[in-house]
Amino acid sequence: MGSDYPPSLRCGLPGLILSLETAFILIFWFCFSNESGSTPKDLDIYPAFQDVNVVVILGFGFLLAFLKRYGFSSTGFYLLIAALGVQWAVLVEGFLFSSSAGKIKISLHSILKGSISVTAVLISAGALLGKANPIQLIWMAMVEVAAFSTSRWINVKFLKVEEHTSLMHVHIFGTYFGLAVSWWLYHSSLSERVEKERSNLISDLFSMLGALFVWMFWPSFNSVLIVDLMERRNAICNTYYAIAVSAVAAFALSSLSRRNGKIRMIHIHHAALAGGVALGFSAPIIPHPWIAMMLGLLASVVAVLGSHCLQTYLNLVLKIHDTCGVHYMFGLPGLLGAIVNVILFIIIKWASLSSLGYLALIEVGSFMLTTAIGLGTGFITGFILTFKLWKTLPASKYFDDQAYWEFPHLASRF
Amino acid sequence: MGSDYPPSLRCGLPGLILSLETAFILIFWFCFSNESGSTPKDLDIYPAFQDVNVVVILGFGFLLAFLKRYGFSSTGFYLLIAALGVQWAVLVEGFLFSSSAGKIKISLHSILKGSISVTAVLISAGALLGKANPIQLIWMAMVEVAAFSTSRWINVKFLKVEEHTSLMHVHIFGTYFGLAVSWWLYHSSLSERVEKERSNLISDLFSMLGALFVWMFWPSFNSVLIVDLMERRNAICNTYYAIAVSAVAAFALSSLSRRNGKIRMIHIHHAALAGGVALGFSAPIIPHPWIAMMLGLLASVVAVLGSHCLQTYLNLVLKIHDTCGVHYMFGLPGLLGAIVNVILFIIIKWASLSSLGYLALIEVGSFMLTTAIGLGTGFITGFILTFKLWKTLPASKYFDDQAYWEFPHLASRF
Amino acid sequence: MGSDYPPSLRCGLPGLILSLETAFILIFWFCFSNESGSTPKDLDIYPAFQDVNVVVILGFGFLLAFLKRYGFSSTGFYLLIAALGVQWAVLVEGFLFSSSAGKIKISLHSILKGSISVTAVLISAGALLGKANPIQLIWMAMVEVAAFSTSRWINVKFLKVEEHTSLMHVHIFGTYFGLAVSWWLYHSSLSERVEKERSNLISDLFSMLGALFVWMFWPSFNSVLIVDLMERRNAICNTYYAIAVSAVAAFALSSLSRRNGKIRMIHIHHAALAGGVALGFSAPIIPHPWIAMMLGLLASVVAVLGSHCLQTYLNLVLKIHDTCGVHYMFGLPGLLGAIVNVILFIIIKWASLSSLGYLALIEVGSFMLTTAIGLGTGFITGFILTFKLWKTLPASKYFDDQAYWEFPHLASRF
């Protein structure tokens, strides 16, 4: 049956990519230039920038390479949307946050912020893994980066949220944007897991490799934007303690969740990384290691419980299909971190601040606003992505590299 | 036959992990706090710290992922015992080495030293790979970290061994502790290699990946603790020369060791890394590159000869089963390095020191003491680990992920 | 048939390696010593040095691990020739560039330059992948490193080319040296792709891993040698923009190149990396990001077009077999970068320089000279490598690990 063939991307994809790139180059031409001056202020963050780069480009791509027939797409399309998304994020951020006249100055910091912003897209793409084609992913990346930067701009300009905190909203934003899009791409055949939506031993090892890179460089991710050196050091140590506890707890919780006591690889990935997500906001201000460890433990519990209970019930009821479980890996731990951040803020500032209630309210408002913008824009984007125009895949071709890639064992390499 | 089923970990593992973590968090609560002050002294080692982190978390885990049916356990349980062991090492080191009253201050240096200390456990676990279950590994990690830190404390306090040198004892300590434990876990069926104790093409490639990460970041491992910048630079360069020579020599020696001249992957891993181990002690004080290269060559010879001869004869006689050959990869090169270090010490200080003989004796005593403590505590730990209480595996279930992990192709992922 | 067995390496390889290493150690003994002084000048480049190290040791090795039966040799022999080549490069560069009397001082910079020089060998080896045995590779590495260093010496001494630029010639030199050698190793059976010369899903994922490491650390590779901090920062940012665009464009171009619109993994690797190669020369002096992006786009086009057209026609006519397509990944983008560099040089210096024409001519002469030396020495080396003396493989044993490696599933591990 012809209708079962996945639509060829040849007309859509190259045109879309090349016109976007042409537009980007033109905008960069007329509006952007490299920051100049006698001494660069941003070279000292280069090693930490590379850690973040590894997380974004290699870590997430391989983390999501667990589907046994979707390894090329996971690693390949993640490179595509990350590399494209960073350029777009630098553009959007440049226009939103630059105040001076003349050409907008960009530097290593711009690329770094772009890389962190684009994490939102990578998280959303995790929920859609195997269901969206590259054309849909590119459009989603465009809309989501713009929406996230706007949300961040509102947070920074009007709610006076700090730069670091506003970028750490990326986990929550990415998750709820992705879930909203995922609701539109739901298909009844997804309610029971198909054969292709499984992992095998080798794809799970590749996924472990990606997970370890994200895990190891979480301290860099949570600290690189912090200006105060003492706070940066604390952010590194606190994040380390939190992810150490969440990784250890993951084994206990995963074993508890099954009657036969066996451990699930996916739980380890979810829960080990959850600790780092939960620390995003408060890593620099947590005064004692035990608080970070406690938070890591809680994040691990939330991730495994979420993956165990909500996946089975909530997603079925809401008709959401979340391929790699971003809700439990990034969403819930992110919300937990945001709430703990507010509580910590109140405790630390209790004595010294008169307008405490007002400020705490703003903190709460900030992450709720971000969640709302994420859900809202995601909902609209998801609706648009269902149009036939984007050459949507039939559900029978989900989770399969063969729809997009020429297979090496079927073809010569050149 | 019911007795052939591996005992479920469900009762033991979660309880053990969660009580340990609770205890850790409580101890951190009452006794530890983040180092404070105006400027952090330890942020400049962060890039090298991350290199060590990659070696410890990813490098060793994947290096030992060579068993074809044990990849999940190698990478997963290494993450578990590394993350747990670092917390415990920070605790133990804090109590042993802190002198000031009040809460013990910890910083990035504490985590770094913890990461290096925990290498002892990872090396020991290499000897037990596939034979010990996670409960046994956790108990071993607890005892071994405490024993290593105590041994280090004796070295630093009484024998006035330097911080860097005392931590580089980790290879020797880990090896002999692991071999002693391994003696107790010996089973007659291990004398001939079973099918499951083999590698396949893919597991060997993953192992190569881990080996390369350890190899590449050895210079960081051997230099990060050195305070003097000139010595740190020399340690980096000397380690690089040594591992370059040992990696190259590995190919020659491996080819020589077989009648048909074919190369064995395992020899390459053993011998390439041996150079870095041998340089551990003397990397900063070696005055000329050729000495480092010579030492790298010797280490490579020791590793391949060891792997070829001792494995076949000594281990059979002693009834020791050393799954990944830590004796040749870490033990013998470590001893070689310690001896060369004493010789170098005597040569360099020949003219300038009156009490040379006494000091050289202390250097010798230092590593022999460490070896003895390792063997002794390992022997006791091994005996304890044979108790049925720890749900020991039957030998027929050795080297098999299926005893612990829910397999992805047999289950849905959530 | 006995003649079909690959010749055993046992007589040749160990002797060659051990005598080379002995010679190296002796030369280092009599002629080299570690740089001394009160403060090391090169410790601040250590993080970037490690990035380059990852590219050289792990990146290239795994990038070329795409042949389904050649993974051990790709990763193993690349470690061998890289580790051997760096020692030799440090030696040769020391003798050529050192002017002071007495022992030649070497430092981390020497190793860094050695690592970058050895990239030429790794690129050439890419063209010979699967066809040359380790003995041939080692001889090639010896000759090529010496030839490249001599070519660099001529460039620096007589044409007054900058250190950074002269080392970035490595891509062009390596490619044309490799292609010339490849011409001699051509065999008629190579004109149609054999089964063994294909990749499979897993080998392509390993290759993706290597490609991503090279991609991520390209900015370090292109910037680490630049002394001026502002230029170094610009080189990092410009390289990042270029590789981001070339990675994105790779998907468009690959999809365009096939009638069914499917994407080829090999195109992604070629084109994504081409952007970094093209930026090698001009990364520090490009004044605006859009120029870097434009250049990345052009490099991507060159790589995919090259891989599509030239591979099919040119190579057949010239009787060259370029296993991994280094001509399109490194050669053509390198030439493109060199030409753009000259144009940029003319534009930037237009107003301020009187002897512009003369200087521009020297720039052109510089890379043409390098190409010529590469082709010439490669041609001679290739001829020598065809001698039976080197135990050349019969073409039926090409692309097969089994000729060199003892297979794990056929043997016990020790």
Side-chain angles (χ1 to χ4, degrees):
Chain A
M1 294 166 296
S3 68
D4 252 343
Y5 281 104
S8 164
L9 297 173
R10 204 187 177 203
C11 325
L13 189 66
L16 175 60
I17 288 179
L18 293 178
S19 30
L20 278 175
E21 276 301 343
T22 314
F24 287 175
I25 292 177
L26 287 175
I27 302 176
F28 270 98
W29 188 347
F30 290 110
C31 307
F32 288 82
S33 73
N34 277 332
E35 206 179 68
S36 57
S38 51
T39 46
K41 283 173 238 123
D42 46 8
L43 211 53
D44 58 318
I45 57 153
Y46 183 59
F49 165 78
Q50 276 296 8
D51 292 351
V52 172
N53 200 17
V54 171
V55 168
V56 170
I57 300 290
L58 186 140
F60 282 113
F62 274 89
L63 172 61
L64 299 192
F66 65 83
L67 293 178
K68 63 181 164 186
R69 301 179 66 169
Y70 211 62
F72 282 24
S73 303
S74 303
T75 57
F77 295 158
Y78 264 60
L79 173 64
L80 169 66
I81 56 176
L84 193 70
V86 170
Q87 299 170 49
W88 177 233
V90 169
L91 272 183
V92 173
E93 297 250 324
F95 283 118
L96 279 176
F97 286 88
S98 172
S99 50
S100 61
K103 282 199 174 183
I104 297 162
K105 304 286 180 200
I106 50 178
S107 66
L108 195 57
H109 256 111
S110 317
I111 302 181
L112 173 63
K113 284 184 207 163
S115 293
I116 296 182
S117 297
V118 100
T119 310
V121 184
L122 303 183
I123 293 172
S124 301
L128 305 178
L129 193 72
K131 297 174 289 180
N133 69 25
I135 299 179
Q136 292 172 305
L137 287 177
I138 289 173
W139 280 119
M140 190 184 80
M142 294 296 111
V143 177
E144 185 166 3
V145 164
F148 177 68
S149 290
T150 312
S151 147
R152 200 165 89 73
W153 181 73
I154 297 172
N155 272 300
V156 170
K157 287 283 157 179
F158 299 109
L159 303 182
K160 306 291 174 204
V161 171
E162 272 179 86
E163 190 86 21
H164 168 76
T165 313
S166 73
L167 271 164
M168 288 300 138
H169 281 140
V170 77
H171 306 299
I172 303 179
F173 189 93
T175 306
Y176 291 102
F177 187 101
L179 290 178
V181 173
S182 183
W183 186 83
W184 281 101
L185 297 188
Y186 189 79
H187 187 278
S188 61
S189 72
L190 292 170
S191 61
E192 45 184 310
R193 187 160 299 262
V194 292
E195 172 59 22
K196 286 191 282 189
E197 205 191 336
R198 301 242 164 103
S199 57
N200 61 22
L201 292 177
I202 293 161
S203 69
D204 260 344
L205 268 182
F206 277 114
S207 177
M208 185 67 175
L209 185 77
L212 286 182
F213 272 110
V214 179
W215 191 90
M216 291 185 300
F217 294 146
W218 234 204
S220 300
F221 195 93
N222 279 356
S223 71
V224 64
L225 283 162
I226 297 167
V227 181
D228 183 86
L229 292 185
M230 207 64 210
E231 283 192 358
R232 190 188 292 177
R233 207 275 314 273
N234 284 348
I236 290 171
C237 293
N238 285 331
T239 306
Y240 189 90
Y241 294 124
I243 55 179
V245 173
S246 66
V248 171
F251 286 86
L253 299 165
S254 178
S255 177
L256 263 184
S257 77
R258 307 295 296 174
R259 206 166 293 165
N260 60 8
K262 292 197 176 176
I263 303 163
R264 283 184 168 195
M265 204 41 134
I266 189 79
H267 284 160
I268 306 302
H269 298 173
H270 279 187
L273 299 182
V277 174
L279 259 274
F281 299 101
S282 46
I285 60 162
I286 286 180
H288 302 294
W290 72 267
I291 304 179
M293 294 167 78
M294 200 70 214
L295 196 48
L297 185 63
L298 276 178
S300 198
V301 171
V302 163
V304 175
L305 265 189
S307 153
H308 199 65
C309 309
L310 297 193
Q311 188 79 20
T312 338
Y313 308 110
L314 188 72
N315 285 6
L316 274 186
V317 174
L318 293 182
K319 291 192 183 305
I320 291 172
H321 181 269
D322 177 3
T323 314
C324 93
V326 295
H327 200 176
Y328 321 116
M329 191 157 27
F330 297 103
L332 297 180
L335 287 180
L336 172 74
I339 294 167
V340 169
N341 190 38
V342 174
I343 299 174
L344 269 176
F345 178 82
I346 295 178
I347 294 174
I348 291 174
K349 300 283 171 98
W350 188 259
S352 62
L353 226 66
S354 54
S355 55
L356 185 68
Y358 174 69
L359 286 173
L361 210 68
I362 284 195
E363 294 270 325
V364 175
S366 153
F367 78 79
M368 291 183 66
L369 179 75
T370 307
T371 316
I373 298 180
L375 270 175
T377 50
F379 193 79
I380 299 167
T381 312
F383 171 64
I384 296 171
L385 289 188
T386 53
F387 294 173
K388 276 278 178 209
L389 182 67
W390 318 117
K391 302 175 184 296
T392 49
L393 272 188
S396 64
K397 297 288 169 193
Y398 281 0
F399 313 116
D400 202 335
D401 273 340
Q402 226 159 351
Y404 312 115
W405 297 84
E406 193 155 283
F407 266 172
H409 55 274
L410 304 170
S412 69
R413 273 184 72 87
F414 298 99
Chain B
M1 294 165 295
S3 69
D4 252 342
Y5 280 104
S8 164
L9 298 173
R10 205 188 177 202
C11 325
L13 189 66
L16 175 61
I17 288 177
L18 294 178
S19 30
L20 278 175
E21 276 302 344
T22 315
F24 286 175
I25 292 176
L26 287 175
I27 301 175
F28 269 98
W29 189 347
F30 291 111
C31 307
F32 287 82
S33 72
N34 277 332
E35 207 179 67
S36 58
S38 49
T39 46
K41 283 171 238 124
D42 47 8
L43 212 52
D44 57 319
I45 57 153
Y46 183 59
F49 164 78
Q50 276 296 7
D51 291 352
V52 173
N53 199 17
V54 170
V55 169
V56 169
I57 300 292
L58 186 140
F60 282 113
F62 274 89
L63 173 61
L64 299 192
F66 64 85
L67 293 178
K68 64 179 163 188
R69 300 179 67 169
Y70 210 64
F72 281 24
S73 303
S74 303
T75 56
F77 295 158
Y78 264 60
L79 173 64
L80 169 65
I81 57 176
L84 194 69
V86 170
Q87 300 171 47
W88 177 232
V90 169
L91 271 182
V92 173
E93 297 250 324
F95 283 119
L96 278 176
F97 287 89
S98 171
S99 51
S100 62
K103 283 197 175 183
I104 297 162
K105 304 287 181 201
I106 49 179
S107 65
L108 194 56
H109 256 111
S110 317
I111 302 182
L112 173 63
K113 285 184 208 162
S115 294
I116 295 182
S117 298
V118 101
T119 309
V121 184
L122 304 183
I123 293 171
S124 302
L128 305 177
L129 192 73
K131 297 173 290 179
N133 68 27
I135 299 180
Q136 291 172 304
L137 288 177
I138 289 173
W139 280 118
M140 190 185 79
M142 294 295 111
V143 178
E144 186 167 1
V145 164
F148 177 68
S149 291
T150 311
S151 149
R152 200 164 88 73
W153 180 74
I154 296 172
N155 271 301
V156 170
K157 287 282 157 178
F158 300 110
L159 304 182
K160 306 290 174 204
V161 171
E162 271 178 88
E163 190 85 21
H164 168 75
T165 313
S166 74
L167 270 163
M168 287 299 138
H169 280 141
V170 76
H171 305 299
I172 304 178
F173 190 93
T175 305
Y176 291 102
F177 188 101
L179 291 178
V181 172
S182 184
W183 187 83
W184 282 101
L185 297 188
Y186 189 78
H187 188 278
S188 60
S189 72
L190 292 170
S191 58
E192 45 184 311
R193 188 160 297 263
V194 292
E195 170 60 22
K196 284 191 285 190
E197 205 191 337
R198 302 244 164 101
S199 58
N200 62 22
L201 293 176
I202 293 161
S203 71
D204 260 345
L205 267 183
F206 277 115
S207 178
M208 185 67 175
L209 184 77
L212 286 182
F213 272 111
V214 179
W215 191 90
M216 292 185 298
F217 294 146
W218 234 203
S220 301
F221 194 93
N222 279 356
S223 71
V224 64
L225 284 162
I226 296 167
V227 181
D228 182 86
L229 292 185
M230 207 64 208
E231 283 192 358
R232 191 188 292 176
R233 206 277 312 272
N234 284 348
I236 291 171
C237 292
N238 286 330
T239 305
Y240 189 91
Y241 294 123
I243 55 178
V245 174
S246 66
V248 171
F251 285 86
L253 299 165
S254 179
S255 178
L256 265 183
S257 77
R258 306 295 295 173
R259 206 165 294 164
N260 59 9
K262 292 197 177 177
I263 302 163
R264 283 183 167 195
M265 204 40 135
I266 189 79
H267 284 160
I268 306 302
H269 299 173
H270 280 188
L273 299 183
V277 174
L279 258 276
F281 298 101
S282 46
I285 60 162
I286 286 180
H288 302 295
W290 71 268
I291 305 179
M293 293 166 80
M294 199 69 214
L295 197 47
L297 185 63
L298 276 178
S300 199
V301 171
V302 163
V304 174
L305 265 189
S307 154
H308 199 65
C309 310
L310 297 193
Q311 187 79 21
T312 338
Y313 309 111
L314 188 74
N315 285 6
L316 274 186
V317 173
L318 293 182
K319 291 192 181 305
I320 291 172
H321 180 271
D322 177 3
T323 315
C324 93
V326 295
H327 200 177
Y328 322 115
M329 191 159 25
F330 297 104
L332 297 181
L335 286 180
L336 172 73
I339 294 167
V340 169
N341 190 39
V342 174
I343 298 174
L344 268 176
F345 178 82
I346 294 177
I347 294 174
I348 292 174
K349 300 283 170 98
W350 188 258
S352 62
L353 226 65
S354 54
S355 54
L356 185 69
Y358 174 71
L359 286 172
L361 210 70
I362 283 196
E363 294 269 325
V364 174
S366 154
F367 79 77
M368 291 183 66
L369 180 76
T370 306
T371 316
I373 298 181
L375 271 175
T377 49
F379 193 79
I380 300 168
T381 311
F383 171 63
I384 296 171
L385 289 188
T386 55
F387 295 172
K388 277 276 177 211
L389 182 67
W390 317 117
K391 302 174 184 298
T392 48
L393 272 188
S396 64
K397 296 290 167 191
Y398 280 1
F399 313 116
D400 201 335
D401 274 340
Q402 224 159 353
Y404 313 115
W405 297 84
E406 193 155 284
F407 267 172
H409 54 275
L410 305 171
S412 69
R413 272 185 72 89
F414 297 99
Chain C
M1 295 166 295
S3 68
D4 252 341
Y5 280 104
S8 163
L9 298 173
R10 206 190 176 200
C11 325
L13 189 66
L16 174 61
I17 288 178
L18 294 178
S19 32
L20 278 176
E21 276 301 343
T22 314
F24 287 175
I25 292 177
L26 287 174
I27 302 175
F28 269 97
W29 189 347
F30 290 110
C31 308
F32 287 82
S33 72
N34 276 332
E35 206 179 67
S36 57
S38 50
T39 45
K41 282 173 240 126
D42 48 7
L43 212 53
D44 57 319
I45 56 152
Y46 184 59
F49 164 77
Q50 277 295 9
D51 292 352
V52 172
N53 200 17
V54 170
V55 168
V56 170
I57 301 291
L58 187 141
F60 282 114
F62 273 90
L63 172 61
L64 299 191
F66 64 83
L67 294 178
K68 63 180 163 187
R69 299 179 66 168
Y70 211 62
F72 281 23
S73 303
S74 304
T75 57
F77 294 159
Y78 264 60
L79 173 64
L80 169 65
I81 56 176
L84 193 70
V86 170
Q87 299 170 48
W88 178 233
V90 169
L91 272 182
V92 174
E93 297 251 323
F95 284 118
L96 279 176
F97 287 89
S98 171
S99 51
S100 62
K103 283 200 173 181
I104 297 162
K105 304 287 180 200
I106 48 178
S107 65
L108 195 57
H109 256 110
S110 317
I111 304 181
L112 173 63
K113 284 184 207 161
S115 295
I116 295 182
S117 298
V118 101
T119 309
V121 184
L122 304 182
I123 292 171
S124 301
L128 306 177
L129 192 72
K131 296 173 289 179
N133 69 26
I135 298 179
Q136 292 173 304
L137 288 177
I138 289 172
W139 281 118
M140 189 184 79
M142 294 298 110
V143 177
E144 185 167 2
V145 163
F148 177 68
S149 291
T150 311
S151 148
R152 201 165 88 73
W153 180 75
I154 296 171
N155 271 301
V156 170
K157 287 281 157 180
F158 300 108
L159 305 181
K160 306 291 173 205
V161 171
E162 271 179 88
E163 190 85 23
H164 168 77
T165 313
S166 74
L167 270 164
M168 286 300 138
H169 282 140
V170 78
H171 306 300
I172 303 179
F173 189 93
T175 304
Y176 291 102
F177 187 101
L179 290 178
V181 173
S182 184
W183 186 83
W184 282 101
L185 298 188
Y186 189 79
H187 187 279
S188 61
S189 72
L190 291 170
S191 60
E192 47 184 309
R193 187 159 299 263
V194 292
E195 171 60 21
K196 285 191 283 189
E197 205 193 336
R198 302 244 164 101
S199 58
N200 62 22
L201 293 176
I202 293 161
S203 70
D204 260 344
L205 268 183
F206 277 114
S207 178
M208 184 67 175
L209 185 75
L212 287 182
F213 272 110
V214 180
W215 191 91
M216 291 185 300
F217 294 147
W218 233 204
S220 300
F221 195 92
N222 279 356
S223 70
V224 65
L225 283 162
I226 296 166
V227 181
D228 183 86
L229 292 185
M230 207 63 209
E231 283 192 359
R232 190 188 293 177
R233 205 277 312 274
N234 284 349
I236 291 172
C237 292
N238 285 331
T239 306
Y240 189 91
Y241 294 123
I243 55 177
V245 173
S246 67
V248 170
F251 286 86
L253 299 165
S254 178
S255 178
L256 265 184
S257 77
R258 307 295 295 173
R259 206 165 295 164
N260 60 9
K262 292 198 178 178
I263 303 163
R264 283 183 168 196
M265 203 40 133
I266 189 78
H267 284 160
I268 306 302
H269 299 174
H270 280 186
L273 299 183
V277 174
L279 259 275
F281 299 101
S282 45
I285 61 162
I286 286 181
H288 302 296
W290 71 268
I291 305 178
M293 295 166 78
M294 202 67 213
L295 197 45
L297 185 62
L298 276 178
S300 199
V301 171
V302 163
V304 175
L305 265 189
S307 153
H308 198 65
C309 309
L310 297 193
Q311 187 79 23
T312 338
Y313 309 109
L314 188 73
N315 286 5
L316 274 187
V317 173
L318 294 182
K319 290 194 182 305
I320 290 172
H321 181 270
D322 177 3
T323 314
C324 93
V326 295
H327 200 176
Y328 322 116
M329 192 159 24
F330 298 104
L332 297 181
L335 286 180
L336 172 74
I339 293 165
V340 169
N341 190 38
V342 174
I343 299 174
L344 269 176
F345 178 82
I346 295 177
I347 294 174
I348 292 175
K349 300 282 170 98
W350 188 259
S352 62
L353 227 64
S354 54
S355 55
L356 186 66
Y358 174 69
L359 286 172
L361 210 70
I362 284 197
E363 294 269 325
V364 174
S366 155
F367 78 79
M368 289 182 68
L369 179 76
T370 307
T371 314
I373 298 180
L375 270 175
T377 50
F379 193 79
I380 300 168
T381 312
F383 170 64
I384 297 171
L385 288 188
T386 54
F387 296 173
K388 275 277 176 208
L389 182 68
W390 317 118
K391 301 175 183 296
T392 48
L393 271 188
S396 63
K397 296 290 167 190
Y398 281 0
F399 314 116
D400 201 335
D401 273 340
Q402 226 159 351
Y404 313 114
W405 297 85
E406 193 155 284
F407 266 172
H409 55 275
L410 304 171
S412 69
R413 273 185 71 89
F414 298 99

